[in-house]
């Protein structure tokens, strides 16, 4: 593998980590809010 390919794969790998963590956090937050809204009193 050339140096350029190695750099590209390292950049992609390090960029993927925060994306995976943040998308997981957002998914858990969305599911949690949805579950909380199911039990919310609908009367205003």
């Amino acid at each position: 593998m050339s140096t350029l390919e190695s750099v590209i794969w390292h950049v992609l790998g390090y960029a993927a980590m925060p994306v995976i963590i943040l998308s997981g956090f957002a998914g858990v937050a969305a599911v949690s809010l949805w579950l909380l809204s199911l039990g919310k009193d609908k009367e205003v």
Side-chain angles (χ1 to χ4, degrees), residues 1-20:
M1 187 178 340
S2 71
T3 304
L4 178 62
E5 286 176 316
S6 180
V7 168
I8 290 171
W9 282 115
H10 279 91
V11 168
L12 287 175
Y14 286 123
M17 283 184 247
V19 169
I20 291 168

Side-chain angles (χ1 to χ4, degrees), residues 21-35:
I21 292 168
L22 291 175
S23 63
F25 175 78
V28 169
V31 170
S32 299
L33 289 173
W34 175 69
L35 287 173

